Amino acid sequence: MSDLPVLDATEQRILGSLLEKQTTVPATYPLSANALVSACNQSSSRDPVTDLDQQVVERTAKSLKDRGLLRIVWSDTGRRTLKYHQILDEALTLEADERALLTVLLLRGAQAPGELRTRTQRLHEFTDRGQVEECLRRMASRPQPLVSELERRPGQQDARWIHLLGAAPEPRVRVTQVVADLHVPDLPAARSFYSDYLGLAEEEFDLGWVARHTSPESQATLQVMTSDATAPVDPVVSVMVDDVELAYRQAQDRGYEIVHPLTTEAWGVTRFFVRAPDGNVLNIVQQHAG
């Protein structure tokens, strides 16, 4: 192929999904239209999660066929059904390790080498992070580079990499829980009101300066705190997210004021404080795995 294909977001999702399923579920590959739509819209291993309808997927697949990046074939068993088979790897002459990394970059956007190693485990076995970085640099040093390393931003531990087959959609932060943070002068004194009177009887934790009370019946939750242990201000709410580093990067990219930097705290969370344009300070937090 003389020039790299430029793929829009839907084309990236279709080809990335086909590349993935060809390796992970070879018994049902190539994919039918219904299976391809499900693969594109699945909620795991995708960022952002999409809601593409079958008409859009079929129309985009036809366009990719016309560009020589996809084949549409008939099922050779049972009912005659159109199925979809990617040939992007052939067009780009990808090695197995390159194919795995490009698949995950197409499906999840910019990622650090450590993330890529974890997320390619079902596609290709990289023995360590160094192998991932070696493969990325090989892909970047082609006459027509397939990937590029982004500049590391303040607070980032590792530089992230992107593919060069078109602009990837910005992944979205996913909020998993929101808990109000109520300032009180004395935690034990507050316990009788919030636990006994309001029925938030389950004390999930008490760190001496912050405690969380939850209703065993409704799972309604409230945090009460005297003053934050490490931050210069107290938040009005704690927002639990599934990727705190992504949330931090996007807050920086959008120019929001970081009140407390990205910090791994001794009590088992990674968090930062950001000031919303309305002046409220939010604690953006992710629990440590395990």
Side-chain angles (χ1 to χ4, degrees):
M1 178 173 285
S2 57
D3 295 311
L4 289 181
V6 177
L7 307 173
D8 65 24
T10 302
E11 292 169 334
Q12 291 176 38
R13 179 55 55 89
I14 288 173
L15 290 173
S17 298
L18 289 169
L19 282 161
E20 178 194 61
K21 299 305 181 184
Q22 186 173 7
T23 299
T24 60
V25 287
T28 57
Y29 187 89
L31 300 185
S32 67
N34 286 338
L36 180 54
V37 171
S38 296
C40 289
N41 293 336
Q42 72 181 51
S43 58
S44 61
S45 304
R46 306 285 186 270
D47 204 345
V49 174
T50 58
D51 187 23
L52 302 176
D53 62 41
Q54 186 163 327
Q55 185 177 15
V56 169
V57 169
E58 290 179 342
R59 183 171 63 246
T60 305
K62 174 63 166 58
S63 174
L64 289 168
K65 173 183 177 295
D66 294 340
R67 296 171 62 187
L69 301 174
L70 181 149
R71 288 196 189 105
I72 301 176
V73 299
W74 286 102
S75 172
D76 56 1
T77 59
R79 223 173 120 221
R80 285 177 63 76
T81 305
L82 287 178
K83 294 200 168 187
Y84 298 88
H85 167 61
Q86 67 78 30
I87 49 175
L88 178 66
D89 57 351
E90 298 176 20
L92 298 177
T93 320
L94 297 176
E95 300 293 336
D97 53 355
E98 297 171 335
R99 187 182 188 280
L101 291 177
L102 185 61
T103 298
V104 176
L105 289 170
L106 285 168
L107 292 174
R108 302 186 71 149
Q111 294 158 83
E115 294 173 313
L116 287 166
R117 185 193 173 201
T118 299
R119 293 167 177 172
T120 54
Q121 286 179 346
R122 297 180 64 200
L123 304 172
H124 180 81
E125 185 177 352
F126 291 98
T127 58
D128 54 33
R129 171 184 162 146
Q131 278 197 344
V132 175
E133 292 175 331
E134 185 280 326
C135 183
L136 289 167
R137 301 201 183 282
R138 187 191 336 133
M139 295 168 75
S141 64
R142 285 184 168 212
Q144 291 184 313
L146 289 176
V147 299
S148 177
E149 186 176 16
L150 296 175
E151 182 179 351
R152 186 180 306 180
R153 293 184 177 275
Q156 289 182 5
Q157 295 182 348
D158 299 302
R160 296 178 299 150
W161 289 75
I162 58 170
H163 69 77
L164 297 178
L165 301 182
E170 182 180 42
R172 291 175 292 185
V173 175
R174 284 192 282 275
V175 174
T176 59
Q177 188 179 12
V178 178
V179 181
D181 288 311
L182 190 65
H183 186 81
V184 298
D186 184 88
L187 289 187
R191 184 178 295 114
S192 63
F193 180 83
Y194 296 105
S195 292
D196 299 340
Y197 172 61
L198 290 184
L200 304 176
E202 181 180 330
E203 188 173 75
E204 294 188 36
F205 60 78
D206 182 349
L207 300 181
W209 55 272
V210 61
R212 181 182 295 176
H213 298 279
T214 299
S215 165
E217 291 80 22
S218 69
Q219 298 303 304
T221 298
L222 176 70
Q223 288 183 172
V224 291
M225 62 190 309
T226 53
S227 61
D228 195 275
T230 63
V233 297
D234 296 334
V236 298
V237 68
S238 290
V239 180
M240 285 66 171
V241 297
D242 67 342
D243 190 335
V244 71
E245 292 187 359
L246 171 62
Y248 187 69
R249 289 196 301 265
Q250 293 187 345
Q252 290 180 312
D253 291 343
R254 297 179 184 214
Y256 297 142
E257 179 187 355
I258 304 298
V259 180
H260 179 57
L262 187 66
T263 305
T264 298
E265 306 285 11
W267 54 91
V269 302
T270 300
R271 65 175 189 160
F272 69 96
F273 286 13
V274 60
R275 191 183 303 278
D278 56 25
N280 285 311
V281 173
L282 283 67
N283 172 32
I284 311 297
V285 60
Q286 182 177 12
Q287 190 78 27
H288 291 176

